[in-house]
Amino acid sequence: MLAKAFNNIFSSHFRTQNLQSQLMRNSRHGILRLSPSRSFTNSTSNSANSTTSTKASSKKSTFYSNLKNIKKPVAATKLIVAGIAIFLSGDFANAWYQNEYNKNLLKNTIEKGTQPVTDILDNEFIPRPLLIKRFKEILQPDKDQSFYHVICGEKGIGKTTLATVASREVGQGVIYVDVPENFEFFGESFGKAINFTFKEKISLLTRLKRKFLSETQEKENMNLPKWMRAKRAFEDVAQSYKVNHNKPSVIIFDNVDRLKNHPEIIDSLQDSAMKNAKQNKYITVFISTKGPILERMESRGTLSQVLEKLEIGDLSESESKDYLIKKCTAENLQFEETTRKCMINDDEVNKLYKLAGGRILDLKREVNKFLHGKIFEETKKEVMDNVENEVKAAHLFPNQKYYKIGKPIIKTLLNSKEMHYLDFRSAFYTIGDVEKVLEEVLACNVFEYHPGKHIVTFKSPSVEYYFKEKSDVFIKNYV
């Protein structure tokens, strides 16, 4: 029994030593494989150890290989991210620069003013110093001004000439916008006046945000019509001008009557005019012929309470005659001296003035006929025929429906030059729809309503001339 215990201990000790030996060989497999001690190990055990060692070495090699393969796409990704970051930074910087550049263009435009150039020739320009002075006062508002302006008058009275001359002389802070004949170009005309480009520079990231994140406000701004985008751009820079100069800038909309088929735009412009006048941000000046547009503006309740109106009338007699003489005076340069020759005498000047009156377009038309050799009697007949057609269109001719109503009106206007609008209106009370009748009569070029003074006059001197010539029809037979 003692011998059995001894054998167990010895066997256990031998196994322990053998295990330690194997561990040492595995830890130093490279050296032990070359050592003579191989002869003391079991051949099967050596083979197994060699296989295990080879596998471990292979795994280690594979790990480092995979690690290198991982490092390559990570490095490439870093380069791509860095490139995108650089691109976006440059894109943002370029967009910011372009937009700031465009904004500065707008600011500089207001600082200098648009200073429109008139195409009026020297021999056709009629200086009207009192009106020019009044225009310049309008274009240089006080810092606390809280109303906007409407300048009205008949076509061909010289409104645009006065506006462009005054705008050019004032310069700073005055923007002149001419509403084109074709409404489709109104936005472009507005943008050109303020030096505004509609191609906003937008960064790529901003575009993606607008496309995928549904930034509705910015999308709506981009979808606005051009005239409204230009108006908003002007309003932004007008605020800066007010801060820098402690007074509002001025924007002129000339020929707004061309928007008669788009009353919603007139309403929008008038709404902005009232709001910004009350805030002293900028002052709006509308220039229009008298008619539906002016009547619409005046009828819009509180909007008309901050509206100041200036009506431009005909040239005075002296201004008209000076114009006729200037147009008929030729200059010749002979022997380094300038000589002037007038081709119209005083009698002819008086006749043309009585026929055309102080309306610039009428004066220009009649004097051009004179310069082309047409005798006065021929000119007179053409004018009388045109007026007679207008009288017939207004149904004021004998045997027409308004003949009897019209005769006392004509007599009053020949005697006193004007008639109160209520008296004019009351003459038509007995005939159906008064508003419709008045609209029909006033639409013809016979009578003219002056809303500022609430009076009615003849449309032009040529109309007055016609009724004087036809007094036997319209006056002598009046009962």
Side-chain angles (χ1 to χ4, degrees):
M1 188 168 180
L2 180 63
K4 187 177 180 180
F6 178 79
N7 288 334
N8 290 337
I9 293 170
F10 180 80
S11 176
S12 173
H13 175 73
F14 180 79
R15 285 196 300 270
T16 301
Q17 282 191 337
N18 190 34
L19 178 63
Q20 289 176 350
S21 178
Q22 289 181 9
L23 288 172
M24 289 179 65
R25 281 197 299 270
N26 288 338
S27 63
R28 293 177 298 168
H29 61 278
I31 297 173
L32 293 176
R33 277 198 300 266
L34 301 175
S35 175
S37 60
R38 290 182 59 189
S39 59
F40 296 99
T41 61
N42 189 282
S43 59
T44 305
S45 175
N46 289 342
S47 177
N49 290 339
S50 177
T51 303
T52 304
S53 176
T54 303
K55 287 182 178 180
S57 177
S58 176
K59 286 181 180 179
K60 185 175 181 181
S61 176
T62 303
F63 171 77
Y64 283 111
S65 177
N66 291 337
L67 184 62
K68 289 180 181 179
N69 291 335
I70 291 172
K71 286 183 178 179
K72 287 181 180 179
V74 168
T77 303
K78 287 182 178 179
L79 287 174
I80 293 172
V81 171
I84 292 174
I86 293 172
F87 170 77
L88 290 177
S89 299
D91 188 38
F92 271 118
N94 183 47
W96 176 85
Y97 172 79
Q98 289 292 335
N99 292 330
E100 286 299 311
Y101 177 77
N102 292 335
K103 190 179 293 185
N104 286 331
L105 279 180
L106 294 179
K107 291 180 179 178
N108 291 335
T109 300
I110 294 186
E111 286 291 333
K112 296 178 181 179
T114 49
Q115 301 186 22
V117 177
T118 179
D119 56 357
I120 300 295
L121 301 175
D122 289 340
N123 67 337
E124 293 186 349
F125 176 68
I126 304 169
R128 307 178 74 177
L130 293 178
L131 283 174
I132 290 292
K133 180 181 177 182
R134 179 68 185 113
F135 259 82
K136 291 170 71 173
E137 290 172 352
I138 291 173
L139 302 182
Q140 295 174 302
D142 296 330
K143 64 178 181 179
D144 297 324
Q145 181 172 320
S146 59
F147 50 87
Y148 62 100
H149 301 266
V150 173
I151 296 172
C152 59
E154 288 301 313
K155 185 176 181 180
I157 207 67
K159 303 182 297 298
T160 294
T161 300
L162 292 170
T164 53
V165 170
S167 298
R168 192 168 62 250
E169 291 186 8
V170 172
Q172 187 184 55
V174 179
I175 298 297
Y176 175 86
V177 181
D178 185 19
V179 179
E181 292 281 358
N182 187 343
F183 164 74
E184 298 298 325
F185 299 113
F186 177 43
E188 283 83 354
S189 179
F190 197 163
K192 184 178 179 181
I194 62 174
N195 222 346
F196 173 68
T197 174
F198 295 98
K199 295 181 179 179
E200 180 187 5
K201 185 66 177 178
I202 306 171
S203 66
L204 177 62
L205 189 58
T206 303
R207 292 179 186 177
L208 293 174
K209 285 169 63 181
R210 289 180 180 179
K211 184 174 183 179
F212 297 108
L213 299 183
S214 300
E215 295 187 6
T216 55
Q217 183 63 43
E218 293 193 17
K219 286 182 178 180
E220 287 176 4
N221 290 340
M222 294 302 295
N223 292 329
L224 289 174
K226 286 186 175 181
W227 68 268
M228 191 171 290
R229 289 170 60 191
K231 181 171 75 70
R232 290 191 175 184
F234 170 76
E235 289 175 347
D236 290 340
V237 294
Q239 180 64 40
S240 299
Y241 183 90
K242 173 67 187 295
V243 171
N244 294 335
H245 297 276
N246 197 28
K247 66 176 184 178
S249 56
V250 177
I251 185 166
I252 302 171
F253 291 104
D254 195 4
N255 295 307
V256 291
D257 46 287
R258 292 174 178 171
L259 297 173
K260 61 183 179 182
N261 295 326
H262 302 275
E264 71 283 357
I265 296 179
I266 290 292
D267 292 348
S268 177
L269 293 176
Q270 190 180 10
D271 291 342
S272 296
M274 182 196 70
K275 181 184 72 174
N276 288 286
K278 284 187 173 182
Q279 296 174 353
N280 306 123
K281 190 174 180 180
Y282 67 83
I283 302 301
T284 306
V285 178
F286 298 103
I287 301 178
S288 174
T289 58
K290 288 179 287 187
I293 293 298
L294 182 59
E295 293 170 5
R296 184 181 185 89
M297 285 185 169
E298 290 185 309
S299 66
R300 297 191 66 211
T302 56
L303 290 171
S304 61
Q305 294 177 7
V306 291
L307 183 156
E308 187 175 274
K309 185 166 54 182
L310 174 64
E311 184 175 344
I312 306 298
D314 292 342
L315 298 174
S316 66
E317 182 175 350
S318 61
E319 288 173 334
S320 301
K321 290 181 177 180
D322 287 345
Y323 171 77
L324 292 171
I325 292 170
K326 185 190 292 187
K327 282 287 292 179
C328 294
T329 299
E331 293 186 354
N332 293 316
L333 182 63
Q334 293 181 345
F335 305 108
E336 298 183 353
E337 290 186 4
T338 301
T339 60
R340 293 179 175 82
K341 180 181 179 181
C342 185
M343 295 172 287
I344 190 170
N345 58 43
D346 291 343
D347 182 55
E348 291 166 329
V349 168
N350 288 330
K351 286 182 178 179
L352 286 179
Y353 171 69
K354 288 181 178 180
L355 186 64
R359 194 69 49 83
I360 296 175
L361 280 182
D362 294 341
L363 286 168
K364 184 184 294 187
R365 181 179 61 248
E366 305 312 329
V367 75
N368 283 337
K369 292 177 183 178
F370 173 83
L371 290 173
H372 284 83
K374 186 167 286 189
I375 63 174
F376 177 75
E377 291 303 321
E378 291 179 345
T379 300
K380 175 184 172 182
K381 184 178 185 308
E382 289 180 1
V383 172
M384 294 298 100
D385 288 345
N386 289 334
V387 173
E388 189 166 281
N389 289 334
E390 295 292 342
V391 172
K392 288 180 179 179
H395 304 287
L396 296 168
F397 216 67
N399 300 321
Q400 290 186 308
K401 57 183 177 181
Y402 303 141
Y403 174 64
K404 291 183 179 180
I405 295 174
K407 286 198 294 182
I409 295 174
I410 293 168
K411 183 178 181 180
T412 300
L413 293 178
L414 287 174
N415 291 334
S416 57
K417 304 293 184 181
E418 63 184 46
M419 181 179 189
H420 199 279
Y421 177 69
L422 292 179
D423 295 332
F424 179 83
R425 179 189 177 92
S426 63
F428 294 90
Y429 276 159
T430 58
I431 302 181
D433 187 345
V434 177
E435 296 297 333
K436 185 176 181 181
V437 170
L438 290 175
E439 183 179 354
E440 181 183 11
V441 173
L442 291 173
C444 303
N445 294 319
V446 178
F447 304 114
E448 180 178 355
Y449 169 52
H450 303 264
K453 299 178 180 179
H454 296 289
I455 61 172
V456 175
T457 65
F458 286 126
K459 187 74 171 182
S460 66
S462 58
V463 174
E464 182 179 1
Y465 193 98
Y466 172 83
F467 284 124
K468 286 181 179 178
E469 290 285 304
K470 299 287 186 177
S471 61
D472 58 330
V473 177
F474 295 95
I475 303 298
K476 291 181 180 179
N477 292 334
Y478 170 65
V479 178

